[in-house]
Amino acid sequence: MSEKKIASIVAADVGSILTHVCLIDRVEGIYRLVARAEVPTSLGCPEDDVTVGLRRAVERLEQIAQRRFLDQEGGFITPQKDAGEGVDAFVATASAASPLKCAVIGLTNDLSIESAQHACRGSNATVSHIVTLGARPRRWRGEIVTALREQPPEVIVMVGGLDRGPTAPLEQAARVLTNIFENFEEEKRPILVFAGNQEARRPVADRVSTQFDLRVVDNVRPSVETESLVELQRELAGIYAHIKLARLPGYRRLREWSETPVVSTADALSRIFRFMARRNALSQGVLGVDVGGASTYVGAAQGEKYQWTLAGALGTSHNADGLSQGMFLEDIARWLPVPMEAAEVVSRLENGWLRPRSVPQTLEDLYLCHAVARQNLLAAMWRMRRQHWAPLDGGQWRTTPPFDLIAVRGGCLTHTPKDGLVMLSLLDALQPTGLARLAVDWASVWPQLGALATSVPLAATQVLERDAFRELGTIIAPIGRARDGEHALQIKVIEEDGQVTEWDLPAGVIRCIPLSLDEEATIEVRPSHRFDIGLGRAGVGGRTHVRGGELGIIVDTRGRPLVLPQDAQRCRAKLQEWLGSFADDADSP
């Protein structure tokens, strides 16, 4: 696309539950977000075509903007006419496809297979089969061969062996796979991704290249001390985009409408999070989060480095049934500030699974939605720490590194009427450390801006800076622990008009210090000897400049990592107390 010729753009994100569309147009020479709309995605409905829901969303956008974008056949009017009808461009992202079904084949469970599972769980993929070969493999068990034939995976990930290690087990596995799938039609054979011993690449390729679509990436475990997942995750992301998204009903028409290739929502988000970090020259980077209906995505952009994990089986709606089976119900129930019997939790989760496009009808439903979101984020953050922030020697990795900006999105969060509940859920699940700003994708446009960033970067930049952020405030979260009520830290707030306010805060609390969105202030923080405010040493204070937000300055002295009371009644009381911290805009000093 020629950026000079693009004035108006309709951008869409087709999710598993909702389809979001927005109109971006030039207003007084500057790209602005003019209108937005959302409707349920039309997959699993009688139409079962993603473009049906997209048309409905655009028709709603037409009503809001009082402009026509579609012709009588339901296609886009491009370019924009002199009378104002149509748009100059349409772009789209999508995450509506189900996760890839993968089989992992390798030598040992505790090294390469474990690493491959981490890579799959960090991508939009689920592991359906695991085959452990061992150092001296014998004949494959009959049930494994039968399972692979009757329920073939879409991708086989073959791993194993340190670089320059033995190749015989992997060569034999290649021979067996060739025999298993030799009678399959070519389009029904799995894609084979080899991420094992470098020495085995050629002999494995010689065995399978004529029968399988073979992809070769870096060894996931080149040495005992080293885990390398990025190349495998990148390959799985590409396969998801080109195989799963391309098979969506209506995808071909969606692709024909779009001026640029349709990218996955996760790929678009990675672009926009990196863009945020570079654009604002954030030294500690951006932690980005997307809590979706069928998956949960976490990405970290720091300098030129980008790390991510995508939990394809952890969503707030579509996978609530798997969530209730895969996680202990008490792990979800512990985040509820109100009592709820296990049977009722299961019933409400099943209702969410059967009706994924519904919204919480009661306060209890809303609390349960946030409890599931917390647990999803906790699991995704655990994977993120394990894969990217954890030393393999078993060192400390239970805390989140400091970030300048925490950027969050997802229907469960943006559709919550109380900012305090959103903030508490994110503090509980992400457990940020140090000082960070928190912003929400209130309009659900970040993926679309990520797609625009490569084709119309000026539009992405101007809309992102002016219209796409809802800033909840600045978080101060020290690392450490003390008994509730003990002195934690002292904060002095010096506002622009010279007014000075001092706060002396105990451990175990959350406090909102008033500072409006359009206000700035200088703060001085002096922690006790038990807390580190992100400077690398407990008891060391500091001074910095901060900006306000919807909730002002949020101070969390509950410590890191966060520990909940074991007793259920005391735990609920604590959650109610912490939620009550956001009942008003701020407490008095």
Side-chain angles (χ1 to χ4, degrees):
M1 291 188 292
S2 173
E3 191 168 0
K4 293 182 179 179
K5 298 179 180 179
I6 302 298
S8 57
I9 306 156
V10 167
D13 177 43
V14 182
S16 60
I17 294 177
L18 294 174
T19 293
H20 297 92
V21 296
C22 65
L23 171 64
I24 296 170
D25 207 344
R26 282 195 179 126
V27 179
E28 298 181 352
I30 298 174
Y31 286 104
R32 299 298 301 267
L33 175 63
V34 176
R36 54 180 287 270
E38 65 179 39
V39 301
T41 298
S42 48
L43 288 179
C45 301
E47 303 94 342
D48 199 28
D49 185 323
V50 293
T51 60
V52 174
L54 176 60
R55 284 196 187 101
R56 290 171 182 161
V58 175
E59 288 168 358
R60 184 169 296 181
L61 193 68
E62 289 178 326
Q63 296 172 355
I64 296 170
Q66 292 296 293
R67 287 170 54 177
R68 278 188 62 203
F69 304 122
L70 301 177
D71 57 27
Q72 293 182 347
E73 286 73 35
F76 280 91
I77 302 171
T78 56
Q80 182 176 330
K81 308 302 181 184
D82 292 338
E85 293 184 344
V87 289
D88 293 318
F90 168 74
V91 298
T93 66
S95 61
S98 59
L100 287 168
K101 187 168 64 173
C102 294
V104 175
I105 298 174
L107 297 182
T108 58
N109 280 322
D110 58 342
L111 287 175
S112 54
I113 287 181
E114 182 181 3
S115 295
Q117 287 181 275
H118 290 153
C120 291
R121 290 167 181 163
S123 308
N124 210 331
T126 58
V127 178
S128 57
H129 307 83
I130 296 176
V131 181
T132 304
L133 303 174
R136 296 180 179 178
R138 300 175 182 175
R139 293 173 60 86
W140 287 29
R141 295 199 307 272
E143 60 268 23
I144 293 176
V145 174
T146 301
L148 289 173
R149 280 177 175 157
E150 294 182 352
Q151 297 178 326
E154 292 163 311
V155 177
I156 295 175
V157 178
M158 185 182 293
V159 295
L162 308 180
D163 283 347
R164 295 181 298 277
T167 65
L170 297 174
E171 292 181 61
Q172 183 184 18
R175 284 196 296 269
V176 174
L177 290 174
T178 301
N179 292 333
I180 291 175
F181 294 103
E182 63 180 348
N183 295 324
F184 278 59
E185 297 177 13
E186 184 176 351
E187 63 273 11
K188 293 183 180 180
R189 293 173 189 163
I191 294 173
L192 179 59
V193 181
F194 183 80
N197 177 4
Q198 290 184 1
E199 298 296 323
R201 289 178 178 178
R202 183 177 296 277
V204 167
D206 291 341
R207 295 285 182 186
V208 304
S209 59
T210 59
Q211 186 164 304
F212 289 93
D213 178 358
L214 175 65
R215 320 284 179 90
V216 178
V217 299
D218 291 348
N219 191 349
V220 294
R221 210 60 181 264
S223 68
V224 174
E225 300 80 13
T226 305
E227 186 175 67
S228 177
L229 307 182
V230 174
E231 287 298 316
L232 176 55
Q233 287 183 308
R234 185 175 290 121
E235 188 64 43
L236 291 174
I239 294 172
Y240 174 81
H242 291 97
I243 301 298
K244 299 295 287 188
L245 290 182
R247 292 176 182 171
L248 283 173
Y251 177 86
R252 180 176 296 180
R253 189 177 297 110
L254 183 69
R255 176 65 188 89
E256 291 171 353
W257 287 343
S258 180
E259 293 284 346
T260 60
V262 179
V263 299
S264 70
T265 301
D267 187 23
L269 283 174
S270 72
R271 297 179 189 178
I272 205 65
F273 293 148
R274 287 181 294 202
F275 186 76
M276 291 177 187
R278 288 196 304 267
R279 178 71 179 174
N280 299 287
L282 301 178
S283 59
Q284 294 184 134
V286 174
L287 177 65
V289 169
D290 183 16
V291 185
S295 62
T296 298
Y297 178 87
V298 177
Q302 295 172 302
E304 295 301 316
K305 181 171 64 175
Y306 189 78
Q307 301 166 319
W308 78 95
T309 188
L310 197 157
L314 294 178
T316 56
S317 296
H318 272 315
N319 293 298
D321 63 329
L323 183 73
S324 63
Q325 298 171 17
M327 295 182 182
F328 294 110
L329 287 176
E330 53 265 31
D331 287 339
I332 299 172
R334 64 177 173 158
W335 298 111
L336 293 170
V338 294
M340 191 178 295
E341 295 293 332
E344 186 178 0
V345 171
V346 172
S347 176
R348 290 176 186 262
L349 288 176
E350 290 177 345
N351 184 61
W353 171 60
L354 292 170
R355 301 170 180 84
R357 296 169 182 83
S358 63
V359 297
Q361 300 296 309
T362 66
L363 189 59
E364 289 77 11
D365 286 338
L366 185 62
Y367 285 150
L368 183 58
C369 179
H370 275 260
V372 173
R374 280 182 177 96
Q375 199 60 34
N376 288 348
L377 275 174
L378 280 170
M381 288 296 290
W382 185 91
R383 294 179 185 180
M384 191 74 174
R385 296 185 187 103
R386 170 62 181 80
Q387 293 172 19
H388 301 297
W389 302 332
L392 288 177
D393 59 6
Q396 178 60 258
W397 54 275
R398 297 182 62 198
T399 57
T400 300
F403 290 91
D404 294 303
L405 174 66
I406 298 175
V408 300
R409 68 182 311 274
C412 176
L413 304 177
T414 56
H415 293 156
T416 297
K418 292 293 185 179
D419 290 335
L421 180 56
V422 174
M423 177 62 77
L424 182 60
S425 294
L426 294 170
L427 288 174
D428 291 343
L430 302 180
Q431 299 186 34
T433 59
L435 185 144
R437 292 195 57 72
L438 193 143
V440 178
D441 180 12
W442 70 275
S444 299
V445 296
W446 289 353
Q448 298 93 303
L449 296 182
L452 275 177
T454 56
S455 54
V456 194
L458 183 61
T461 301
Q462 292 180 342
V463 172
L464 187 66
E465 290 180 344
R466 290 168 173 81
D467 304 314
F469 280 101
R470 186 162 185 265
E471 300 194 55
L472 296 191
T474 297
I475 299 169
I476 300 174
I479 303 171
R481 179 157 303 145
R483 291 184 180 180
D484 288 359
E486 289 186 6
H487 173 66
L489 50 83
Q490 189 177 55
I491 298 180
K492 180 187 289 187
V493 180
I494 307 167
E495 299 185 35
E496 292 181 305
D497 60 3
Q499 181 179 348
V500 179
T501 310
E502 293 194 27
W503 301 68
D504 194 359
L505 300 181
V509 302
I510 299 174
R511 289 289 183 269
C512 293
I513 298 175
L515 190 64
S516 300
L517 185 61
D518 56 350
E519 292 181 334
E520 296 183 359
T522 298
I523 61 170
E524 295 179 1
V525 183
R526 295 187 294 274
S528 74
H529 68 284
R530 295 182 181 275
F531 287 98
D532 171 11
I533 59 173
L535 299 177
R537 184 177 174 186
V540 176
R543 178 186 178 104
T544 190
H545 198 71
V546 299
R547 200 163 69 244
E550 300 288 349
L551 297 173
I553 303 171
I554 303 94
V555 186
D556 183 355
T557 65
R558 298 177 299 169
R560 296 291 184 268
L562 177 65
V563 177
L564 296 178
Q566 293 295 317
D567 178 74
Q569 188 171 352
R570 286 187 59 230
C571 187
R572 285 195 298 270
K574 275 295 182 185
L575 288 169
Q576 291 170 2
E577 174 190 329
W578 296 331
L579 190 57
S581 303
F582 301 101
D584 301 316
D585 290 339
D587 298 322
S588 58

